[in-house]
Amino acid sequence: ATPLVKVGGLADVAGELPRALARYGVDVQLALPFYPGLKAELAGLRPLATVEVPRPDGVQTATVHALEVDGRRVWLIGGEPIDAAPAVYGAPEQDAAKFTFFGIGALQACRSLGWEPEVVHAHDWHAAPSLAWMRTASFGWDRTPALLTVHNLPYMGAGGEAALAEYGLRPADDPHLPDWARRLPLPLGMSHADWITTVSPSYAGEIQTPAFGCGLEAFLASRAGRLRGILNGIDPRVWNPGADAAPERRYATDSLEDRLTNKTALQRIFGWPEHGRTPLLAMITRLDVQKGVDLALDALEALQDVRWQFILLGRGDPAVEAQAEAFAAAHRDRAAFIPQFDPFLSRRLYAGADMLLVPSRYEPCGLAQMMGLRYGAVPVVRATGGLRDT
Ligand code: NHF
């Protein structure tokens, strides 16, 4: 959840949605694992409480820290399974143990600190086990509505079967779920959720079909009456070219001429001809097969005779990185690959590129295209999921 910790788009939503809801008067309290990196940054913070995380083979202890971020309360749940993993996302088995521990710890923290929510909202497979636990572990919140938001269906927590069993969570018994799915965190959580949402209306429809349903389409279709797509948004104050310190020049959204300064600055940084009319294309993404980086590179290769300049920013899958590296090496006079997660440069790209490429194979929602729209970098996208809806 931004601004505390960010790996991908989930962080923007988890960070900004509570703020947006607060404007409607909703008191949202956000729980996050107290990741080692965060712990190091917040070294002075004192724990508020410790709570028990029961397991069939004994009890683990979770620590609860709390802080205010932009007027919102954030609870940080710490403990041995979370300390054991250096990164936010790592080995599947270890991740499943740490996130299951986290979810149970978060519920126990609410109980112990006397805060009973009207709705429990879990995001993705990582928080999904908490809903199963809330419903089955005699916790007592049997009537508290449970909402699960799916940000990316293929990530179901594969490898997490043993961890769920270690925390005493029984497999799902919904007859619409295939056998292989019943012991996985995401399907288990979905089977206990009162409502399932995903992050765009189109994706909510797509996941009920074999092409996008990852084998869960029959189950999801059986829940169609309780499955909705609610489009993500971005905070226009956070994404505002008129008040952004990163680009060479700030500009009002009704004076796009000022963007040329930003485009020229990028061309200068990369040592390319400073032509106003050569289209500058940017792609800002995790380098994952989902995101279609290969589709963009192939397309640019096929456009050899057309003028373009291309900047790809992001890191991820080593095979995709290698492909991008080779492409940039072969087109040094007009292509660059920066294998980094760099929020500062990404804002300069939104503010200076003419077009933003988002050729995702599937896209639950996608946020980059909204940032591109806000900054006047025209998104060129595949018509899928949230890209279609926005
Ligand atoms: O925007 C935040 C993000 C989505 O499409 C994106 C994705 C992961 O794949 O909801 O989650």
Side-chain angles (χ1 to χ4, degrees), residues 34-389:
F34 205 5
Y35 297 110
L38 207 51
K39 224 172 170 174
E41 276 172 41
L42 300 171
L45 202 64
R46 294 276 136 255
L48 210 60
T50 56
V51 296
E52 292 187 345
V53 175
R55 297 169 36 132
D57 64 354
V59 167
Q60 289 178 318
T61 302
T63 56
V64 186
H65 291 72
L67 78 165
E68 297 276 319
V69 181
D70 300 333
R72 289 161 303 140
R73 174 158 259 228
V74 180
W75 307 42
L76 300 165
I77 310 299
E80 191 274 316
I82 295 168
D83 290 337
V88 172
Y89 300 140
E93 298 79 14
Q94 203 180 33
D95 278 1
K98 96 180 172 196
F99 288 120
T100 304
F101 169 87
F102 154 70
I104 299 172
L107 290 170
Q108 292 281 69
C110 292
R111 158 77 31 92
S112 127
L113 298 172
W115 188 70
E116 185 165 345
E118 286 166 26
V119 176
V120 174
H121 185 186
H123 290 272
D124 268 351
W125 76 259
H126 318 85
S130 64
L131 301 184
W133 197 81
M134 178 169 108
R135 286 286 187 259
T136 60
S138 315
F139 186 64
W141 289 1
D142 296 335
R143 298 167 66 86
T144 304
L147 167 63
L148 179 59
T149 295
V150 179
H151 293 261
N152 202 332
L153 184 63
Y155 295 84
M156 297 184 197
E161 295 90 337
L164 296 184
E166 279 165 23
Y167 285 91
L169 293 172
R170 288 187 302 282
D173 57 11
D174 188 302
H176 294 99
L177 277 176
D179 268 355
W180 58 263
R182 293 180 185 207
R183 291 179 167 73
L184 291 182
L186 184 69
L188 175 65
M190 290 199 291
S191 78
H192 288 285
D194 297 300
W195 282 86
I196 299 168
T197 68
T198 185
V199 285
S200 68
S202 283
Y203 193 60
E206 288 167 352
I207 58 177
Q208 298 177 50
T209 69
F212 296 93
C214 306
L216 301 186
E217 55 275 7
F219 165 78
L220 289 163
S222 79
R223 295 284 165 110
R226 294 258 175 158
L227 166 62
R228 290 284 186 280
I230 301 175
L231 200 60
N232 282 339
I234 56 172
D235 185 337
R237 290 171 308 178
V238 173
W239 298 96
N240 178 7
D244 193 329
E248 196 82 355
R249 174 179 296 199
R250 294 178 193 173
Y251 55 96
T253 45
D254 60 358
S255 67
L256 292 180
E257 315 75 56
D258 287 346
R259 297 183 84 253
L260 190 57
T261 311
N262 295 325
K263 172 174 174 176
T264 313
L266 289 168
Q267 290 170 320
R268 197 162 43 240
I269 290 171
F270 290 99
W272 299 331
E274 293 168 29
H275 289 162
R277 294 195 59 80
T278 298
L280 178 59
L281 316 178
M283 193 164 170
I284 304 164
T285 183
R286 271 184 301 116
L287 267 61
D288 187 288
V289 176
Q290 173 198 346
K291 300 295 182 179
V293 176
D294 55 320
L295 302 177
L297 301 184
D298 288 352
L300 290 173
E301 203 74 71
L303 291 171
Q304 288 280 6
D305 302 334
V306 178
R307 284 191 303 175
W308 49 257
Q309 295 168 334
F310 174 63
I311 303 168
L312 170 60
L313 173 65
R315 58 177 192 216
D317 187 329
V320 183
E321 283 193 12
Q323 197 184 357
E325 199 83 64
F327 182 85
H331 303 278
R332 282 213 189 288
D333 55 339
R334 55 176 173 163
F337 169 44
I338 300 102
Q340 278 163 28
F341 170 70
D342 184 340
F344 182 79
L345 180 57
S346 76
R347 285 173 177 272
R348 293 181 68 109
L349 294 177
Y350 290 124
D354 296 299
M355 299 177 213
L356 185 77
L357 305 188
V358 195
S360 308
R361 294 191 154 79
Y362 72 93
E363 197 61 77
C365 180
L367 299 170
Q369 79 279 10
M370 296 194 222
M371 295 159 187
L373 284 168
R374 178 86 172 123
Y375 279 65
V378 179
V380 179
V381 311
R382 284 191 74 218
T384 185
L387 298 176
R388 183 207 305 271
D389 295 345

